[in-house]
Amino acid sequence: MKIKPIYYYSMALSGFFGLFALLMLWHTVLAPSTRFPVALMLLITVTPLLLPMRGLLDRNRRSCTWAAYISLIYFIHGSAEAYASADERLYALLEIILSLMLFLGSTLYVRFAGNHS
């Protein structure tokens, strides 16, 4: 059974937009920071996701590779947050799952898409 690369790409996009939505909601509605302004938190957490977004949407293999690299930052952040903060553990676990979806989806898409994109 061979899985088509478009399914890996769909998994990467689901992880990407899920992570984007989670970070936006986490820092504005679900658990806003009391120590830092909301705008600063959004700038720090969401901006790295925006860097490979255009290429990711165009199925550019290099941008998909960079999205995979960037997703590892969110995996580390989610792991640390899940360990350190019991109040925000659910959000951190969602961040881990979504970052893994982005990482695995984009990595497998780049691996199996060949030179067609």
Side-chain angles (χ1 to χ4, degrees):
M1 181 173 122
K2 185 175 179 179
I3 299 175
K4 295 180 182 177
I6 192 69
Y7 295 124
Y8 297 128
Y9 179 71
S10 298
M11 182 169 73
L13 282 184
S14 299
F16 178 83
F17 286 114
L19 194 57
F20 186 82
L22 173 68
L23 292 171
M24 293 292 285
L25 288 172
W26 187 350
H27 297 295
T28 57
V29 177
L30 300 174
S33 176
T34 56
R35 294 185 292 172
F36 300 106
V38 172
L40 178 65
M41 292 302 296
L42 289 176
L43 186 68
I44 291 170
T45 59
V46 176
T47 302
L49 273 179
L50 298 177
L51 297 175
M53 183 173 159
R54 180 175 178 201
L56 185 67
L57 294 175
D58 287 339
R59 297 184 191 168
N60 182 316
R61 293 176 68 212
R62 180 173 282 168
S63 296
C64 290
T65 303
W66 275 105
Y69 296 149
I70 290 171
S71 72
L72 295 176
I73 297 168
Y74 295 101
F75 176 78
I76 292 169
H77 175 261
S79 300
E81 197 68 38
Y83 178 77
S85 176
D87 295 337
E88 298 178 8
R89 188 162 291 147
L90 174 64
Y91 309 135
L93 291 175
L94 281 172
E95 184 178 19
I96 292 169
I97 291 168
L98 292 168
S99 65
L100 284 176
M101 284 176 62
L102 176 57
F103 177 78
L104 292 173
S106 57
T107 303
L108 292 171
Y109 174 73
V110 168
R111 167 65 177 93
F112 293 113
N115 292 327
H116 299 90
S117 47

